[in-house]
Amino acid sequence: MFAMRQEVKVVFERDPAAKSVLEVLFCYPGFHAIIHHRIAHFFYRHRLFFVARMISHLNRFLTGIEIHPGAKIGKGLFIDHGSGVVIGETTEIGDNVTLYQGVTLGGTGKEKGKRHPTIGDNVTISVGAKVLGNIKIGNNVKIGGGSVVLKDVPSNCTVVGVPGRIAVRDGAKVDEVDLEHNVLPDPVADMFTVMQERIDILEKRIADMEKGELPDAPLQHVRRQKGRFANSGTA
């Protein structure tokens, strides 16, 4: 009962749309998925694998969220909307993690043993992101929507793109869950901005040279060099 109260509290902390406890208990598939998983994981730990998988299968049918009963999930997991979320068997999730719809914490092959990611504390994984393989995601990490993460990510970073790349690494400590998953850097757009600024500078220099406002020293130097070379060739 205490665990259920904690799960309800998490929903109110991270979803401004939650209006009442009754609404959360009956109308939040992410909440239902976590409660079902806690039960399925209990049977899984006691090696009642068929019962665990049946509960997990029912959970998927009711919520659209697939969590393997073997996955280890810490306190304060919040699954927003949740449709299409997949969490693999050997996944480990820390405390105060937020997952949005379409997130996959999956494997990359048929190998046995640990083959799914380990997620740290205070991590936000945005819509449609894929975290694949036996990799480690540090604490206070934000993964942008649609990203595909295939390598370890250190703590206090923001990851975007396909394949995922670190766009921000400031080492700042995060004291609470960061839900601003729509506020992410765009390194590709930043590079285009830098290139455009450089092009503007070069165009201005060319225009000034055509007006005679800048010396044509570099070009004259090249011509003199060519002249010397030509003269030395004919001597």
Side-chain angles (χ1 to χ4, degrees), residues 60-167:
R60 177 185 178 183
F61 176 77
L62 294 174
T63 66
I65 299 169
E66 182 173 347
I67 308 176
H68 193 284
K72 299 178 182 178
I73 296 178
K75 298 179 295 183
L77 174 65
F78 177 58
I79 303 176
D80 195 11
H81 297 290
S83 179
V85 168
V86 176
I87 301 176
E89 178 185 13
T90 60
T91 301
E92 299 179 25
I93 300 177
D95 297 336
N96 302 319
V97 172
T98 301
L99 308 179
Y100 288 86
Q101 62 268 28
V103 167
T104 299
L105 306 179
T108 56
K110 298 180 180 180
E111 69 276 9
K112 300 292 184 180
K114 186 75 167 73
R115 60 190 184 278
H116 297 96
T118 298
I119 311 296
D121 300 336
N122 304 318
V123 174
T124 298
I125 305 180
S126 302
V127 177
K130 315 299 178 187
V131 184
L132 306 176
N134 181 19
I135 61 176
K136 294 183 179 180
I137 308 299
N139 300 329
N140 311 320
V141 169
K142 185 189 292 185
I143 297 176
S147 301
V148 178
V149 184
L150 303 173
K151 297 180 180 179
D152 292 352
V153 178
S155 297
N156 306 312
C157 290
T158 298
V159 178
V160 297
V162 180
R165 56 192 178 277
I166 296 173

